[in-house]
Amino acid sequence: MPDLADAERALGYTFRNKALLSVCFTHASLVGEESNERLEFLGDAVIGLYVTDRLYRGSAASEGQLTERRKRYVSREALEEAEHRLGLLRYLRYAGGEDALRGKTASNLFEAAAGAIYLDGGWAAAEEFLSRTLVEAEAPNYKTALQEYVQQRTHATPVYDSREDEDGFSCEVRALGRSAQGRGATKKLAEQAAARSLFGILTEQ
């Protein structure tokens, strides 16, 4: 059975409510025990508020830019990286072998930890924990992803049409008989936004 005192050291936080700590590290595969799923739900909101508040206070960027930046902190990839740096999965109690740890287990566990710390120590404790552990994932290069996707299916490349207006830039991109639009403060950001939209359309077909 994992040593939860070691889990506390990994988190850098000592729980007053040890039962809450135990629930935090209990996977839903353990039938008959309270799992950390409700803590995941709470932690998702705690992380979202922390990141939103931090970005709002620290930047004069537009709503769209702030939204894009927030995604890089709350994405599955960012939360998995944060969990990996702490090594929390080694303390998780679960049943069913390694198959139980697939999917979003790592990011869910980090969310559960944030939720548990918030319940145990309040906002200040959660804020301190997230300020130490949360990481920003790299922004995906959707132009590259779109080009690779298209070139796997045809010899053509995506065609971008960008225009400057009063509010920045707008862009339309066309490929494989489909098109999508995007906006951004710069031409590059507008092209990325358009590429992201078209990539989503094509890969959802």
Side-chain angles (χ1 to χ4, degrees):
M1 184 173 180
D3 188 337
L4 293 184
D6 287 342
E8 287 182 312
R9 283 188 281 274
L11 290 169
Y13 177 80
T14 301
F15 278 78
R16 292 173 290 184
N17 184 346
K18 302 301 183 185
L20 189 60
L21 171 65
S22 179
V23 172
C24 176
F25 286 93
T26 301
H27 191 263
S29 60
L30 283 176
V31 179
E33 297 196 38
E34 183 180 358
S35 78
N36 62 13
E37 288 181 323
R38 283 166 50 84
L39 290 176
E40 293 169 19
F41 170 77
L42 177 61
D44 176 65
V46 170
I47 294 168
L49 177 58
Y50 168 77
V51 172
T52 302
D53 180 75
R54 176 178 173 181
L55 293 177
Y56 180 86
R57 295 177 187 277
S59 172
S62 68
E63 178 189 3
Q65 292 170 326
L66 291 173
T67 298
E68 287 301 311
R69 184 89 185 275
R70 180 173 58 189
K71 290 176 183 177
R72 302 209 296 268
Y73 280 100
V74 302
S75 69
R76 174 177 170 179
E77 293 76 16
L79 299 184
E80 285 179 347
E81 175 63 23
E83 180 283 320
H84 179 71
R85 293 186 181 193
L86 296 175
L88 301 181
L89 276 179
R90 75 187 77 174
Y91 307 112
L92 184 66
R93 298 189 302 125
Y94 61 94
E98 296 296 322
D99 286 346
L101 301 183
R102 293 180 179 176
K104 296 175 63 179
T105 303
S107 58
N108 287 346
L109 179 55
F110 186 83
E111 289 174 340
I117 290 172
Y118 169 74
L119 283 181
D120 190 75
W123 180 252
E127 189 174 34
E128 192 280 329
F129 169 70
L130 292 172
S131 70
R132 287 189 290 105
T133 60
L134 203 58
V135 298
E136 181 178 9
E138 285 189 23
N141 188 328
Y142 285 102
K143 286 189 67 175
T144 298
L146 178 62
Q147 181 165 319
E148 291 175 350
Y149 181 88
V150 170
Q151 290 187 330
Q152 288 172 357
R153 292 156 177 80
T154 179
H155 293 299
T157 58
V159 176
Y160 293 86
D161 180 16
S162 300
R163 297 180 181 181
E164 186 174 10
D165 53 38
E166 293 181 356
D167 299 320
F169 287 81
S170 61
C171 176
E172 180 181 28
V173 59
R174 299 180 297 277
L176 300 179
R178 303 295 299 272
S179 66
Q181 291 76 39
R183 295 191 57 79
T186 65
K187 180 180 177 181
K188 181 178 179 179
L189 289 174
E191 290 179 346
Q192 281 285 346
R196 175 180 181 176
S197 180
L198 184 55
F199 183 74
I201 291 170
L202 294 175
T203 54
E204 287 176 4
Q205 290 182 341

